Amino acid sequence: MALLGTLLKKGIRLRESLEQEYSNPAELQKQELKKLLIQARNTEFGKKYRFDLILKEFKKPNKDYYRAFSSVVPTYNYEKIYNEWWYRLKAGEKDITWPGAIRYFALTSGTSGASSKYIPITQDMVKAIRKTGVRQILSLSKYDLPDALFTKGILMLGGSTDLDFNGTYFSGDLSGITAGRLPVWFQQFYKPGKKISQNKDWGEKIEQIVEMAPKWDIGIIVGVPAWLQILIEKIIERYKVKTIHDIWPNLAIFVHGGVSFEPYKKGFEQLLARPLIYMETYLASEGFLAFQALPNRRTMRLVLNNGIFYEFVPFNEDNFDENGELKEGATIFKIDEIEEGVDYALLISTCAGAWRYQIGDMIRFESKAESEILITGRTKHFLSMCGEHLSMDNMNRAIELVSEEMNLNIREFTVLGLPHGSLFRHHWFVGTDDKVNPEELMKRIDAHLKDLNDDYITEREHALKRVDCTLVSPKIFYDWMRAQGKEGGQNKFPRVLKGEKMEDWLLHLKNNQIAL
């Protein structure tokens, strides 16, 4: 078992995982917040918000430490923290929100706003991401896997490792930043290797991987489902084989993240000779938050003792406005105060100098005791024009169900909320090359959404008077991503389009002569 053996020989132990497994979540998070405050106490941010005084509260047996922290440090979205603090990091200033200068910035996929965001990546964050990655690899020991699998290659389909440098800092996709800084012991397993991973031309990189595919013995693939499916299809087409297992007979594991896999699963499995083990990760540009720690579970375990402190905001109308923005005076909980089955928006404070930062994701606890979660959507990727409260989780589930019922390979979809006279309508755009009646497809999606969401069925009887569906070739979705500069890597198509991106999408459809 070369991979696991190498990890153990390097002295990487299960201590952190076991510490979390046998420790109280609240105590782990208390200690993590204390570590973050200690490290950042002499930064400009730490001095302004008197981290030294907050730290004194940790000596007390009660919970005043959290009250001291949350009452003094404000919450931030990206625009606020960038305009107040992070713009100084890009100028090369040191000791602003985290000790030292920031040499790396991850560019987000920008699905919520009009342009990419620059997220600082510190040396401490790179180490934290690596440690959590090792913990996930070690969790493979809980699966019934052949020893030979751990001698096989790991294909990581991500952004270019050839980062942009402006004389002060490097910037690029997080997957490119981390892949370019892999430890030496991992490089013997890593594919596509240094040369191909540096290529910035996504289409050319895919072709290079296709060319090399028969020369590699891949056991694990890692990446966003849509782009890996495109890659595998190209390999199958190039070599005139039935499935990817004809090229990679030992392929056994697919590690995915960034988007729900369920809508892609049916089409993806048509490319396989036998089922894979699917392992979900929650690796955002802001940090490695969670991973699937146990077999045969849909949930992931939040990482509580590796550079991130979490806060949880119930996602409801009391705390968020119609645009998904956090309201003043919102109710915010720490981990021992949450409830199972409730959707929470996340705030994180990290070892990259994010403080009470709105990451934009929503999660739900399936197990409070084990800190097991599901990602249920994004605060801005939901539709509630008239109180229908339609979440990404609802949309993904509905598409999964109709794919099974109608035997469809649905590659992508997105939804717009539009006016309908004085009332409202939803317009679905579904990416498939299969033949299907769009009216029947919409009827079935609508029926499933009514089963999944009580608010939706109520509003379908009142203000949400119409739902439409337009079938679109998946190529149209990928062409739009390319035009947005969001092809490949960690980029994914937004499930809800609003504002400027909605207008861009409608113009893209018009230019491709797609009638609405």
Side-chain angles (χ1 to χ4, degrees), residues 86-358:
W86 284 355
Y87 78 94
R88 297 173 65 184
L89 306 179
K90 289 177 67 179
E93 292 189 50
K94 297 180 179 180
D95 304 325
I96 304 302
T97 56
W98 195 253
I102 304 300
R103 295 276 289 167
Y104 294 89
F105 287 86
L107 300 181
T108 70
S109 58
T111 52
S112 296
S115 59
S116 291
K117 301 172 182 177
Y118 286 77
I119 307 298
I121 304 295
T122 61
Q123 295 282 0
D124 291 299
M125 179 54 75
V126 171
K127 291 177 183 177
I129 290 172
R130 187 180 296 170
K131 285 173 65 178
T132 299
V134 167
R135 285 164 71 168
Q136 181 165 34
I137 292 172
L138 290 171
S139 74
L140 292 175
S141 63
K142 299 175 183 177
Y143 292 76
D144 183 18
L145 297 168
D147 290 356
L149 176 67
F150 297 98
T151 66
K152 308 305 178 185
I154 301 176
L155 174 63
M156 301 173 68
L157 188 62
S160 173
T161 58
D162 185 14
L163 307 174
D164 292 325
F165 182 61
N166 72 346
T168 303
Y169 60 83
F170 295 89
S171 61
D173 193 286
L174 176 66
S175 60
I177 294 172
T178 53
R181 299 163 63 80
L182 291 172
V184 174
W185 57 263
F186 188 77
Q187 292 175 14
Q188 62 179 308
F189 305 101
Y190 169 65
K191 300 291 185 261
K194 285 187 176 181
K195 185 175 180 180
I196 295 177
S197 66
Q198 288 176 340
N199 197 332
K200 292 185 177 182
D201 186 315
W202 181 255
E204 189 175 282
K205 176 187 284 188
I206 291 291
E207 291 304 319
Q208 289 174 331
I209 294 173
V210 171
E211 188 68 29
M212 294 297 295
K215 300 178 182 178
W216 298 334
D217 188 1
I218 301 296
I220 302 173
I221 53 175
V222 182
V224 173
W227 302 120
L228 269 167
Q229 184 167 342
I230 289 171
L231 171 65
I232 291 172
E233 287 173 343
K234 285 182 176 292
I235 294 172
I236 290 172
E237 182 182 5
R238 168 76 67 87
Y239 299 104
K240 309 299 180 186
V241 295
K242 290 185 177 180
T243 74
I244 191 61
H245 281 112
D246 294 317
I247 301 294
W248 296 331
N250 294 300
L251 178 61
I253 297 173
F254 178 18
V255 181
H256 61 87
V259 65
S260 173
F261 179 57
E262 296 308 318
Y264 298 93
K265 189 174 182 180
K266 184 174 181 61
F268 188 85
E269 291 189 335
Q270 293 174 2
L271 309 175
L272 310 174
R274 58 182 180 276
L276 301 182
I277 292 171
Y278 300 111
M279 299 180 67
E280 188 171 6
T281 64
Y282 186 4
L283 174 56
S285 296
E286 294 84 359
F288 202 155
L289 282 71
F291 63 88
Q292 188 174 329
L294 296 169
N296 304 316
R297 289 200 183 184
R298 295 175 59 241
T299 55
M300 294 180 288
R301 181 168 295 167
L302 272 182
V303 178
L304 303 179
N305 56 345
N306 192 22
I308 303 175
F309 178 77
Y310 305 89
E311 296 172 84
F312 307 91
V313 190
F315 190 71
N316 55 40
E317 292 177 350
D318 293 333
N319 293 328
F320 290 87
D321 65 21
E322 64 276 8
N323 296 316
E325 297 288 353
L326 189 65
K327 292 181 179 179
E328 286 287 333
T331 301
I332 303 174
F333 298 116
K334 58 187 188 332
I335 198 163
D336 57 329
E337 299 168 329
I338 58 90
E339 298 177 6
E340 294 177 1
V342 175
D343 284 346
Y344 293 100
L346 280 174
L347 303 180
I348 59 173
S349 299
T350 77
C351 58
W355 296 102
R356 308 198 76 201
Y357 179 84
Q358 301 169 46

